[in-house]
Each structure stands twice: as C-alpha cells, then as structure tokens.
Amino acid sequence: MTRGTSAPFKFQDYVVGFRTTLGDLRRAPEELFAKRSFNTGGDSTATVDADYNIESKRLNLNAKWSNQKIDLGAEGNSEDKLTSLSASTNTQLNGNNLNVGAVYDMMKRRMTGTSELEVDDTKVSLEYDNDAKDPVLSVSHKLDDKNTVEPTISLKSGDMTYGWTRKINGGELNTRLHPG
C-alpha cells in the first residue's frame, strides 16, 4: 500500500510545499501547495489555500474570511471556476449557542443548510437540502455522563429513527432503531 506524504515549508508569511507518493520519492511531486492567512482589519482574518496538481494541470483554490460573527467561504478550480459558496454564523440566543450555516454547490445547483441550537444538555438540529426537499429534525439529549438519546424525524415523510449512545471504557456503542 502506498501512502501520500507532504513536505510543508514556511516561507515568509506562506506555507508552501509539495505532495508525493511515499515509496516513490524519485518521481517528481504530484502536487504543489501554498497557504496564507492574514489579518484583514479588526478581528477578521482571511485564508487562501491553493493546490496545483502537476499531472492534470488543475489549480484548486479555497478562500475563507471570518470575523467573530460570520464565516464566508468560496471554492473553485481552474477547470470549473467557482464551485461552491458557504456562509455560517455562531451566536448566542438567550445565553444558548445557535449555529446557522449554508453551502451552495454551483456544479450540482444544490443548497444545503443547517441550524443547531444548544440548550444545556440538549441539542436541536434542523437540516435541509433543496434536492431532497426533506427537512430533518434531530434532538440529542445527554441523560448523564455515559448515555445520550438521539431521536430524528423526517418532516416530509414522518419517518423516525431512535438513537442511543453509551460510552464504554474509552469507546462508544452507537445504536439506531428504524421502526417499520
């Protein structure tokens, strides 16, 4: 079995390097990469991450911008141009964590969105994508340090799944029951 390896180097404000197949280091690298993060003013930062595949001559680019309230992202490549856009936010709602995010896949014309509210030992999530048009509501409630119950319901079909997680000796046992 061959594994890939990467060799990153710090050069001024950049991380640059190459990736190659382990065990075949005599060949030229398969990919070159570069990454840079920088402050864009105040509490906001931007990160640009680029990979270039030598064989396919394809450049992949991933850009992210974030501040304390919102994260924005864009991905693309030299073949398809802009491939996806994303946005997410994490805020406090009456002292509880609220996360909302969405990703739009330009190639598949598919939008997926999630929202998640955490209140004490309970987490309520709602997921939606415009392909399935089936919102899925999930609840995760921690009963104690070892047990968590996790029911899920499809709001379109009404199908339910009952989940239970039990922590055992440093591991976990996950069970799911799909009635019907």
Side-chain angles (χ1 to χ4, degrees):
M1 178 176 156
T2 60
R3 291 181 173 259
T5 186
S6 63
F9 304 97
K10 183 124 172 116
F11 176 73
Q12 294 179 354
D13 292 337
Y14 294 87
V15 174
V16 296
F18 63 89
R19 292 184 187 95
T20 188
T21 303
L22 191 62
D24 197 6
L25 296 176
R26 294 171 293 195
R27 288 188 37 204
E30 295 168 0
E31 288 185 346
L32 304 174
F33 62 86
K35 181 177 184 175
R36 180 162 186 223
S37 295
F38 46 95
N39 188 324
T40 56
D43 292 328
S44 62
T45 59
T47 302
V48 178
D49 194 354
D51 292 320
Y52 180 73
N53 186 294
I54 295 170
E55 185 177 326
S56 69
K57 297 180 181 170
R58 181 175 169 153
L59 176 67
N60 296 308
L61 190 66
N62 184 346
K64 293 180 183 173
W65 177 85
S66 14
N67 66 15
Q68 291 182 342
K69 297 185 183 215
I70 192 165
D71 295 324
L72 301 174
E75 292 183 18
N77 60 59
S78 56
E79 186 178 304
D80 301 314
K81 309 302 181 229
L82 185 61
T83 57
S84 73
L85 297 170
S86 63
S88 64
T89 186
N90 183 358
T91 189
Q92 293 287 311
L93 181 65
N94 295 329
N96 302 303
N97 278 341
L98 174 65
N99 299 307
V100 178
V103 176
Y104 183 69
D105 184 324
M106 310 278 280
M107 306 310 293
K108 296 178 182 176
R109 297 180 184 213
R110 181 178 180 191
M111 173 80 121
T112 56
T114 60
S115 60
E116 186 176 272
L117 178 64
E118 285 185 62
V119 179
D120 299 326
D121 291 335
T122 304
K123 185 186 307 181
V124 179
S125 304
L126 182 66
E127 296 180 8
Y128 179 81
D129 77 67
N130 66 338
D131 272 354
K133 294 179 178 55
D134 183 12
V136 175
L137 180 66
S138 302
V139 177
S140 175
H141 180 72
K142 187 176 174 183
L143 298 172
D144 55 36
D145 288 340
K146 293 188 176 190
N147 296 289
T148 303
V149 292
E150 301 159 321
T152 300
I153 185 169
S154 161
L155 298 180
K156 181 177 179 181
S157 67
D159 292 342
M160 292 207 52
T161 301
Y162 301 99
W164 174 58
T165 300
R166 169 90 176 169
K167 292 184 180 177
I168 304 170
N169 298 332
E172 285 185 350
L173 172 64
N174 293 306
T175 58
R176 299 284 177 262
L177 174 64
H178 305 275

